[in-house]
Amino acid sequence: MMAMLESFRIPHLIGRKPGQISGGERQRVALARSLVTNPAALLLDEPLSGLDAATESKILDDLRDWNAAHGIPILYVTHSPQEAFAVGERVVVLQSGRILAQGMPQDVLATPRHETIAQMVGFENVFDATVRSIAENQGTMLCQLDGSTSQLEVPLGRVEIGARVRIAIRAGDIIVAAERPHGLSARNTFPGRVLSIRREGVAVIVMIEAGATFEVHLTPAAIDALGLKAQMQIWLVIKTYSCNLVEPSMRQPPPE
């Protein structure tokens, strides 16, 4: 028992009552109680919900260390991509009882192929577009955004000219320039206009009209350096491989 308490850094809690320990300590105690019986397998259902990021990180470290020493199968249920990356050797994404994707965390979460997963892992921009041209030898194709003359070069997909596609882009992968850029390797550059700027924590969220409305995440230092303000004319720069082709979200059936 003491060895288990020490592995989760809670031997000092042995004489305390539940009301005398913190949320993070309760989670550690619950894990220790589950593991002290040496289970053949373990199901953890949202074990870190409601905890702050620092406490989550420490408990995940403890869990990884314990499992490295014992090697039992763990089925870990979570809505957090960060937790899935931290502890998962294999990820299965479910929606309404249907498997959307499965595989290594890097393959499923870093380069999502479904809109639901893309939005879950932080692809804030999702656009409808039409394929206008295909360059097979370059591994790319040109897509025109709906209701716009703006076109994006994206990685080649298994589609034909005229096909409808969905394109997902992380807000943090979009570069903003105060002047027209030149001499870049990035293939997508087009003008835009700043609609709004708002601060959220350590990031600044900038909404930009550029044929479609783009959400861009910048640092306060970048905002100051560029002198960004509402209605300012700017240029957007997006790498081809920052554009992910995704399958549309599942339509939920209407209520009976």
Side-chain angles (χ1 to χ4, degrees), residues 11-208:
H12 59 289
L13 302 180
I14 196 166
R16 296 189 192 178
K17 296 181 179 180
Q20 298 174 315
I21 61 178
S22 68
E25 290 170 336
R26 289 192 186 103
Q27 298 290 57
R28 281 197 170 93
V29 169
L31 281 171
R33 291 180 63 184
S34 300
L35 297 171
V36 75
T37 58
N38 292 317
L42 187 65
L43 169 63
L44 298 178
D45 187 0
E46 299 281 0
L48 305 184
S49 59
L51 300 181
D52 61 84
T55 302
E56 283 185 14
S57 179
K58 291 176 182 177
I59 294 178
L60 286 172
D61 287 342
D62 293 341
L63 182 60
R64 278 197 302 268
D65 290 344
W66 187 90
N67 200 45
H70 295 78
I72 68 167
I74 296 178
L75 180 60
Y76 192 105
V77 181
T78 181
H79 286 86
S80 167
Q82 291 77 20
E83 290 177 32
F85 265 118
V87 300
E89 293 183 359
R90 186 170 181 82
V91 172
V92 179
V93 181
L94 298 173
Q95 183 182 32
S96 302
R98 172 192 171 211
I99 295 177
L100 290 185
Q102 57 183 314
M104 301 292 287
Q106 181 71 17
D107 297 331
V108 174
L109 302 176
T111 54
R113 292 294 173 257
H114 295 266
E115 181 179 350
T116 299
I117 302 173
Q119 293 177 332
M120 181 195 313
V121 298
F123 284 76
E124 295 83 357
N125 299 284
V126 181
F127 305 109
D128 288 307
T130 302
V131 178
R132 294 304 184 199
S133 64
I134 294 175
E136 284 193 42
N137 60 331
Q138 297 176 10
T140 62
M141 57 190 190
L142 202 60
C143 299
Q144 183 171 340
L145 301 183
D146 278 10
S148 169
T149 58
S150 296
Q151 295 186 332
L152 284 173
E153 182 182 274
V154 305
L156 184 64
R158 296 180 180 177
V159 295
E160 299 179 350
I161 294 175
R164 304 280 296 152
V165 295
R166 299 272 284 172
I167 302 170
I169 307 170
R170 292 183 190 272
D173 286 344
I174 302 174
I175 296 171
V176 174
E179 300 176 355
R180 182 169 188 161
H182 57 86
L184 300 177
S185 61
R187 300 286 293 168
N188 298 304
T189 60
F190 41 89
R193 177 174 55 88
V194 176
L195 296 177
S196 64
I197 302 173
R198 73 178 188 274
R199 179 80 177 259
E200 285 196 7
V202 297
V204 180
I205 298 176
V206 184
M207 304 304 295
I208 295 173

Side-chain angles (χ1 to χ4, degrees), residues 177-179 192-195 208 226-234:
E179 300 176 355
R193 177 174 55 88
V194 176
L195 296 177
I208 295 173
L226 293 171
L228 287 191
K229 56 185 178 181
Q231 303 306 314
M232 180 175 172
Q233 298 297 314
I234 53 83

